[in-house]
Amino acid sequence: MYLFLIIILLIIICLLLIGLHQKNTNSICRARTRLDGKTAIITGGTLGMGLNVATDFADRGARVIIACPFEPEGRNAQRLIEEETGNKQIIFKLLDLSSFKSVRDFAADILNREDRLDILVNNAGVGYLEDDVTKDGLNVILQINYYGHFLLTLLLLPLLKRTGTKSEPARVVNVSSLLHYLGTMNACYIKRSKVLHALQLYSDSKFFLMVFTRELSKKLSESNVVVNCVDPGAVGTEIFYSIGCVWGPLIKCFFSTIFKTPWEGAQTTIHVALDKKAGTISGQMFKNCQVSHAKQSAFSEINRKRLWDDSIKLVKLTEAEHQQCLYT
């Protein structure tokens, strides 16, 4: 009995020490950049880190477009941001990343209505335990976390390129994860336990984002658009609610207390979107507001070309559209 209590005590002490170290090493974005007259889109900008990013941009004077598939959640976030910042240029738009039609409709609306796009933050993400398949025939985790963002980014590239300048390039920020290190090029469709299966799919999707970031940066090397990836760290967000109504909130609270709150987790994304030096870098991974290391295989030319070609086919982008997105 005493040994058990000693072990529990040691575990608690270790967790407290880890938490103290994490809290002391979490970086905060120091950029004082104003965004008056500029436009930003944040997918999943209605909860968690995305809401914090959107609020920060709004506080700097940006026209902020927050996108999610749930209207009540979107309208509530719009109201919260407006009340906190006093910025009335907050627009909510419906976007369901699990539907390529919704992505296309959203992108077409943006291209028709907006005259500029300075920042695109691909933040939305899910981690369902159920192995659901979308109407497009893809796993829901992979489509929402990666393929939907892939299609969205390409469709919005012409507007990003028209907006960016040599001194102030437009920026694409892809929110990845430390778990991208567990990702592979062979998206896991092998049935395991629900938790391990979902974990592998989530890791694959975040690995894909880094591979995509690297390849897109190469293709945009002659343009005034930079694209980078972010590892926000271990963050207590609503993504854990997919685990269940009991364990989800408990795990969210644990991660927020020991590791990062959504506000702390949002800081590197904000840094990459706003910092002057970060605007001169493309195709890299950032963590704690500085360039970090990504899984080495994400830089492989073979992996980059394979994922790009497969993604073009899976999102059903025609060759004409492909050329228009990249070279318009």
Side-chain angles (χ1 to χ4, degrees):
M1 182 64 179
Y2 287 114
L3 179 60
F4 176 75
L5 291 174
I6 290 172
I7 292 173
I8 294 297
L9 181 61
L10 288 173
I11 291 174
I12 293 173
I13 292 173
C14 286
L15 288 175
L16 289 173
L17 289 173
I18 291 171
L20 181 63
H21 172 73
Q22 287 290 322
K23 294 298 183 183
N24 286 333
T25 55
N26 286 342
S27 296
I28 305 300
C29 176
R30 303 296 181 187
R32 296 183 178 181
T33 310
R34 291 291 304 173
L35 294 174
D36 305 278
K38 296 188 176 182
T39 300
I41 294 175
I42 301 99
T43 68
T46 54
L47 287 174
M49 289 189 294
L51 178 59
N52 279 273
V53 172
T55 303
D56 183 279
F57 290 176
D59 201 38
R60 297 171 188 264
R63 175 179 172 83
V64 180
I65 300 170
I66 52 175
C68 91
F70 311 112
E71 185 158 0
E73 180 183 304
R75 296 299 178 193
N76 183 59
Q78 181 182 28
R79 177 183 58 79
L80 288 174
I81 297 170
E82 289 178 349
E83 289 178 354
E84 182 167 338
T85 66
N87 186 337
K88 301 301 181 184
Q89 300 182 88
I90 312 304
I91 300 95
F92 162 67
K93 290 184 181 291
L94 287 170
L95 171 62
D96 181 1
L97 289 161
S98 70
S99 163
F100 292 145
K101 181 182 184 303
S102 176
V103 172
R104 285 179 173 277
D105 289 345
F106 176 88
D109 182 62
I110 294 295
L111 294 175
N112 286 332
R113 293 176 180 271
E114 302 297 328
D115 58 4
R116 65 183 301 126
L117 178 57
D118 301 87
I119 304 168
L120 171 62
V121 178
N122 291 320
N123 164 80
V126 296
Y128 295 127
L129 293 184
E130 298 299 327
D131 192 24
D132 293 337
V133 175
T134 69
K135 290 181 180 179
D136 298 299
L138 298 175
N139 173 271
V140 67
I141 295 177
L142 293 174
Q143 183 159 339
I144 291 176
N145 293 5
Y146 169 65
Y147 290 109
H149 281 128
F150 174 88
L151 178 60
L152 176 66
T153 303
L154 263 61
L155 293 176
L156 293 179
L157 271 182
L159 183 56
L160 284 161
K161 288 193 286 187
R162 288 200 302 271
T163 303
T165 64
K166 188 173 183 179
S167 60
E168 290 190 69
R171 307 192 194 194
V172 178
V173 185
N174 294 322
V175 180
S176 183
S177 166
L178 177 65
L179 289 175
H180 87 278
Y181 277 106
L182 300 180
T184 69
M185 286 297 295
N186 304 308
C188 176
Y189 294 105
I190 301 172
K191 286 291 185 181
R192 311 179 185 181
S193 72
K194 283 186 176 180
V195 173
L196 291 179
H197 184 59
L199 178 65
Q200 187 61 60
L201 286 168
Y202 181 85
S203 301
D204 289 347
S205 71
K206 295 302 183 178
F207 175 64
F208 287 177
L209 278 172
M210 184 59 226
V211 180
F212 168 52
T213 296
R214 189 67 176 175
E215 180 63 9
L216 183 59
S217 72
K218 297 290 185 183
K219 293 183 181 297
L220 296 177
S221 59
E222 300 301 319
S223 72
N224 294 318
V225 180
V226 297
V227 51
N228 287 295
C229 231
V230 167
D231 170 8
V235 186
T237 68
E238 287 77 6
I239 197 169
F240 291 111
Y241 288 174
S242 63
I243 296 174
C245 59
V246 176
W247 284 107
L250 286 175
I251 295 174
K252 176 180 180 291
C253 180
F254 170 78
F255 271 72
S256 292
T257 303
I258 299 297
F259 298 106
K260 291 188 179 185
T261 64
W263 180 83
E264 290 169 328
Q267 295 304 303
T268 301
T269 298
I270 296 169
H271 171 85
V272 173
L274 303 181
D275 180 74
K276 186 174 182 179
K277 186 176 180 181
T280 66
I281 298 169
S282 193
Q284 298 297 322
M285 174 72 83
F286 281 75
K287 182 177 181 179
N288 280 330
C289 298
Q290 58 186 345
V291 177
S292 184
H293 300 287
K295 187 174 181 179
Q296 193 59 39
S297 55
F299 295 83
S300 160
E301 185 175 353
I302 294 174
N303 286 344
R304 296 196 328 258
K305 185 177 187 308
R306 174 185 165 190
L307 180 65
W308 186 276
D309 292 344
D310 287 349
S311 298
I312 291 294
K313 293 175 184 176
L314 289 171
V315 303
K316 299 178 175 62
L317 201 69
T318 67
E319 182 58 30
E321 289 176 321
H322 185 197
Q323 295 298 315
Q324 183 180 20
C325 291
L326 286 178
Y327 302 114
T328 299

